[in-house]
Amino acid sequence: MTSSDAAPDPLTEPLAFGQRMQILRERRGISRPVLGGLLGKSPSWVKQVETGKLQLPKLPMILRIAEVLRVRDLAELTGDQSMSVAMFIGPGHAKLPAVRDAINRFPLPGDREAPSLPHLRARLDRAWQARHSAPNHREVIGALLPDLILDAHLATRQAQTSEQRRRAQSLLAETYALSQFFLAYQPDSSLLWRVADRGMVAAQESEDPHAIGTAAWLLTQAHRDAGPRDFDAADEVNRAAVDYLRPLLPDADDRVLAIAGALDFELGYTAARRGASGTAWAHWDDAHDKAVRLPPGYYHAVTSFGPAIMGAHAVTVAVELHAGGESVRQAARADAAVIPSHPRRARHRIEEARGYQLDGQPDVALATLEKANAAAPDTIRYNGYARRIILEESEAKSPARRRRAASLATKAGLLAA
């Protein structure tokens, strides 16, 4: 290919919508048949849009295309800067600079005396509890993270024995896990990757199966959220962790069993993103088999895995497979009230809303998003799927639905650029 044949950059050159769509599709490694299937359209429809033979799609379809292509800003797809709305990246939190500084800083052993490992363990437990119980969870953990990151680093550097160092590395890996929840969907993807990588290194240094499984769970999500080209990398990390934990499961404690179940589900989640229905549900079954072996009220602090979450996971699989009817059926079976975590409950409500919209029930979708906002405004504010539904319904033909969407957007700050 000569330089004159190279595809132009949709962010720097004035291109038609279809040209931008084709370039972004190819950058994500998605074929026309796959994109068409995810949109409920034929490959020829995709080709006609890309070549300009069809008119610009209406806003609801533009938003669905943006969702499938994981467009970070709607203007990347439309070329219209007046439509500059963040899709999968939320606003930068006020505490992001302090957390970034703590992550980028490498304290020396003599900076100050590290707290004891039991003290660090207790602080992490309180931080996870605060994350699950606070509707404004990013505000809460953003305030705790800078000191936790510093002290966890100091603990690893000042450890006196190899056993102490391994325990400290496990706590550091868990601190990075908490950091990843704070950083998710914020405008600093390089920092998120730094945290995911460092968490995996610390976990492996700890030689703790639970820490290793948790770090792999988070790294899998980072790869998958990067788009279809990274699905293979997500599966590679995921399967390696599953294989590593498998021989340990007969004698595993609840934490290790839970992280193994969470990893099984992640394989199913990625398969659903690929459109592989049978594989996705088979991995959900594997995860369910582990969930029922856990105590009835068990709830894993990092992954939220446990018996109560499997209904929510079933909704997610159905939604990612774009099966509207099945999504609604699974939503009817799932009981969000048993999910103790405010942010995880809100995330489940958002998945339900996606299912209702897929099933042609936009009013129910908006009502479900209102429940998500009541559970944890901090979750809905940063969620690209919620943002897409709100944007779409703000252009609905029904005046009542438009008003409801506008009211929810105002409450949750979903339209903030």
Side-chain angles (χ1 to χ4, degrees), residues 64 328 349-350 352-372 388-390 392-406 408:
R64 290 177 189 239
V328 170
R349 291 298 191 193
I350 293 168
E352 285 185 322
R354 293 175 67 196
Y356 286 121
Q357 199 187 45
L358 281 169
D359 197 48
Q361 302 184 53
D363 288 304
V364 183
L366 281 176
T368 307
L369 284 180
E370 288 168 347
K371 293 179 182 178
R388 191 265 297 167
I389 294 172
I390 292 292
E392 185 169 329
E393 297 309 323
S394 69
E395 297 287 328
K397 292 182 179 179
S398 164
R401 201 186 307 152
R402 288 201 305 271
R403 287 193 296 270
R404 192 172 191 175
L408 181 55

Side-chain angles (χ1 to χ4, degrees), residues 232-294:
D232 286 346
D235 279 340
E236 184 176 350
V237 172
N238 204 156
R239 290 196 182 98
V242 168
D243 291 344
Y244 164 71
L245 292 175
R246 185 178 293 113
L248 307 177
L249 294 183
D251 301 314
D253 61 19
D254 289 342
R255 292 194 318 155
V256 173
L257 181 60
I259 195 60
L263 286 162
D264 282 335
F265 171 70
E266 291 304 313
L267 284 171
Y269 194 165
T270 307
R273 283 271 184 94
R274 294 181 187 272
S277 177
T279 303
W281 287 113
H283 287 304
W284 184 92
D285 286 338
D286 291 340
H288 183 265
D289 289 344
K290 293 178 176 63
V292 297
R293 290 169 55 187
L294 293 164

Side-chain angles (χ1 to χ4, degrees), residues 1 8 38 54 84 90 102 182 198 223 238 240 280 284 299 314 375 403:
M1 178 182 290
L38 292 172
L54 286 180
S84 180
F182 174 80
R198 288 183 185 175
H223 279 298
N238 204 156
W284 184 92
Y299 198 79
R403 287 193 296 270

Side-chain angles (χ1 to χ4, degrees), residues 272-330:
R273 283 271 184 94
R274 294 181 187 272
S277 177
T279 303
W281 287 113
H283 287 304
W284 184 92
D285 286 338
D286 291 340
H288 183 265
D289 289 344
K290 293 178 176 63
V292 297
R293 290 169 55 187
L294 293 164
Y298 184 86
Y299 198 79
H300 190 259
V302 181
T303 66
S304 296
F305 189 82
I309 206 67
M310 292 312 301
H313 281 339
V315 173
T316 295
V317 169
V319 166
E320 291 296 343
L321 290 168
H322 296 262
E326 182 63 21
S327 302
V328 170
R329 284 190 290 274
Q330 293 295 345

Side-chain angles (χ1 to χ4, degrees), residues 6 33-34 48 54 58 66 142 153 158 169-170 191 204 214 240 336 359 372:
V34 169
Q48 289 181 75
L54 286 180
K58 293 183 179 180
H153 268 296
Q158 296 178 19
Q169 290 283 10
S170 179
L191 191 64
Q204 292 186 77
T214 300
D359 197 48

